[in-house]
Amino acid sequence: MSSDDLWLAIRREAETAIAADPFLEASAAFILDQGDLGGALAFLIGRAICRTDADRAQFMRTAREAYAAEPALVDAAAIDLTAIVRRDPAITGLLPPLLNFKGYVALQAWRVSNWLWRQDRPDLALLMQSATADQLQISIHPSARIGTAVFLDHGTGIIIGALAEIGDEVTILQNVTIARHQDDPRRAPKIGHGVFLSAGATVIGNLSIGDFAKIGAGALVTSDVPAGCTAVGVPARLTNCAEAGASA
């Protein structure tokens, strides 16, 4: 589904939801006032991460500028949203995660801050990171690299530090930390395609987590995890792979 088709589907869901329950008009009616998905995302970002009207207007303008300059950001947001619907069995439509999942809007705010970072506007990029962390309790450094179809489930307490790399189709639950080690600040974790990071997991240092690996709840990972393996415990040990029993 293209971002334009997705936008039409979202509008139809919003019209149906408001007609069924007028109480939703306060939170969903803005969708009907927007001309495209980019406009709706800019509104959501401004509403979610700002305390004042002035800040809200600033970040909305910034997001619109980013989407106009790099339409692929809107395409990525569309892919992220459809990934939530595909992977979360509790969700049956596009509207609920768009309106209610703070992990989704935090990820889109990061995409804008990353665009600012790449445009050599680090101060505004870091200001957006700070506002997102303050209001949504999700902190993603603008220099991180993140793929598409990424799902920040529940969201609270997620920290993705500078230079971290995260592949496509990754799921990250609450209270996950992905960061550099203080002894080697030039290197950060690399998270492969389709990785699942359970609640409370900590991934620290110059390491790689292979495609489709799983990190258990509360695990502390300080070395590589091969593709397809599961890492559990503190310190993490590998299971479900040929190297089971080794430390991770």
Side-chain angles (χ1 to χ4, degrees), residues 64-239:
R64 291 192 181 101
E65 179 187 356
Y67 296 144
E70 194 168 317
L73 298 175
V74 179
D75 294 335
I79 294 169
D80 293 336
L81 188 60
T82 55
I84 294 173
V85 177
R86 176 163 42 85
R87 300 216 292 272
D88 189 336
I91 296 298
T92 58
L94 299 163
L95 189 63
L98 179 69
L99 294 181
N100 304 315
F101 280 27
K102 67 178 184 178
Y104 176 76
V105 71
L107 181 58
Q108 306 323 312
W110 168 80
R111 294 196 185 282
V112 174
S113 73
N114 175 255
W115 177 81
L116 290 166
W117 189 267
R118 291 184 283 110
Q119 299 302 310
D120 198 25
R121 299 167 68 183
D123 292 333
L124 185 53
L126 291 168
L127 184 63
M128 180 168 277
Q129 177 198 2
S130 178
T132 304
D134 184 42
Q135 296 300 306
L136 300 179
Q137 296 81 53
I138 300 171
S139 180
I140 310 176
H141 196 276
S143 69
R145 297 173 61 184
I146 302 177
T148 58
V150 171
F151 182 16
L152 307 185
D153 195 6
H154 301 291
T156 299
I158 291 176
I159 299 173
I160 300 173
L163 306 180
E165 297 183 23
I166 297 173
D168 299 335
E169 298 280 348
V170 171
T171 298
I172 303 175
L173 272 61
Q174 67 272 21
N175 295 317
V176 166
T177 297
I178 302 168
R180 301 171 292 175
H181 194 284
Q182 62 181 2
D183 293 339
D184 188 6
R186 298 170 300 171
R187 301 288 186 270
K190 297 178 176 63
I191 312 298
H193 181 99
V195 170
F196 189 96
L197 298 166
S198 299
T202 300
V203 181
I204 297 290
N206 180 20
L207 61 88
S208 296
I209 296 181
D211 295 347
F212 302 105
K214 294 180 174 63
I215 309 301
L220 173 61
V221 181
T222 57
S223 59
D224 292 347
V225 176
C229 293
T230 299
V232 297
V234 180
R237 64 186 186 282
L238 301 177
T239 65

Side-chain angles (χ1 to χ4, degrees), residues 28-73:
F30 78 90
I31 289 173
L32 306 181
D33 295 331
Q34 302 298 325
D36 55 24
L37 180 58
L41 292 169
F43 183 94
L44 277 172
I45 290 169
R47 184 172 73 176
I49 72 172
C50 300
R51 289 181 174 178
T52 69
D53 290 341
D55 287 345
R56 186 175 301 113
Q58 171 65 53
F59 284 132
M60 287 174 63
R61 285 195 301 269
T62 301
R64 291 192 181 101
E65 179 187 356
Y67 296 144
E70 194 168 317
L73 298 175

Side-chain angles (χ1 to χ4, degrees), residues 12-35:
R12 287 193 295 269
E13 286 189 28
E15 291 168 349
T16 300
I18 292 170
D21 188 347
F23 184 79
L24 291 174
E25 186 169 2
S27 61
F30 78 90
I31 289 173
L32 306 181
D33 295 331
Q34 302 298 325

